[in-house]
Amino acid sequence: MDKIVMKGGAELHGEVVVSGAKNAALPILASALLADGTSTFRNVPDLADVATMLKVLRTMGCDAERLTARKKDVCEVGVNGAITPEAPYDLVKTMRASVLVLGPLVARFGRARVSMPGGCAIGARPIDQHLKGLKALGADIHLTEGYVEARAKQLKGGTVNFDVITVTGTENVLMAAVLAKGRTVMENCAREPEIEELARVLNKMGARIEGAGTSIITVEGVEGLTPVDHAILPDRIEAGTLLVAAAISGGNVLVKHAVPEHLDAVIDKLREAGCTLTAEAGGLRCKAPRTLHSVNITTTEHPGFPTDMQAQLMALMCVSHGTSVISENIFENRFMHVPELHRLGADITVQGHTAVVKGVKTLSGAPVMATDLRASASLILAGLRAEGRTDVSRVYHLDRGYERLERKLRALGADIKRVTAKA
Ligand code: EPZ
């Protein structure tokens, strides 16, 4: 099992390129199911979660693969022969986003059998809103033996009002509505850039979607869709993580391909803390003094401060001057990184969904353990600043959402490497 070994203290300098967005690639790969033929996706990040989605699609009978031979960031998904519309528990339990095949399958093939995702380290994460939306389009839904069984001869347009704002829920229902008969109006939708990107791809396939990126999305159903060739947008959470790496090291880094409009809330907080953020040369530069001020963070849905950046900002607040109050409002159990940051000497008190972080002068390196994807990023960021050696184990969490992060940080001057621990 791999671990990351690092020594803190280096200031990061230089340029780094952001990979394609994980949370756009996953629904977009699933959307290929909606059309006969082969779709080509470019700028697809080389991540464990992407590999799992390709496996889910292959299990159903698609030719889904990464074109390693020719271009490493290109994936092709061929939907040519008979498709078995089923996503098995063994795969769904490893990546809950596999549930994103549900909408496309029931819309395109009239039935789907998809394992319920089950719980997750950061929260219960039910899919009741996904099912509510599909029922509103006329799908017949049953839960048997841990599977969602969905059936519909033909989905019909309707009104979907989400009780809670859900990213993959909006995406799943959107992918179903494009082939439903008539018009669908989706209300209280998530507004993340990844949803706008999915709608962009679906419209390129021949769908008729308006309002993606706002809380009301309107879809005119169409008879059929055609395959697409599309380059996935840059990953705003990876970009945000790299900006925080520059900030925590007191460095000066240009994060290439970062899209400032997708990171407004993160940019605001880094500026409030004392960093200089400038859009330049198709990216975003972060220049930071050695010591920053503490700021308060409240996670909300986009365009508010993203929950996927909470852990990374907490690491920064651990070494900033003052006290920071961090409120996590999206997931009920997303402070698993706190006890590990304590091991590095951080001063954090958690009460319910609020953490109070008192900035300390120095952190000291120690062995720590990743518990989930963004928690692993926060431990690496803290390790960049901690005196001495930090070992981060269970980095399979990191590999789910970051493409060779340690190499990117090393290229910016960090003393960091991956070692494969002997079993
Ligand atoms: C997406 O998860 C992202 N994953 C998550 O990123 C991200 O943290 C999250 O959105 C919020 O921004 C992908 O896009 C693959 P939600 P998702 O449905 O869609 C509740 C990362 O680090 N809810 O928007 O699963 C839910 O429990 C990952 O890259 C219901 O109650 O999140 C949560 O409290 C982690 N019923 C809230 O809504 C439902 O049917 C928001 O969850 C659905 C959700």
Side-chain angles (χ1 to χ4, degrees), residues 23 194 234-242 263 306 308-309 312 374 402:
N23 290 347
E194 293 77 24
D235 195 313
R236 65 191 166 100
I237 305 299
E238 185 200 8
T241 305
L242 292 164
L263 284 161
D308 294 349
M309 282 298 301
Q312 297 91 315
R374 307 304 171 183
Y402 292 94

Side-chain angles (χ1 to χ4, degrees), residues 22-23 26 96-97 122 125-130 164-169 171 192 307-308 330-332 334 373-374:
K22 167 180 81 82
N23 290 347
L26 298 176
R96 48 180 314 102
I122 64 177
R125 303 181 74 179
I127 58 165
D128 58 302
Q129 296 299 306
H130 300 230
V164 293
I165 295 174
T166 160
V167 174
T168 50
E171 292 166 344
E192 272 65 8
T307 173
D308 294 349
I330 303 294
F331 293 111
E332 62 273 24
R334 205 167 202 181
L373 168 57
R374 307 304 171 183

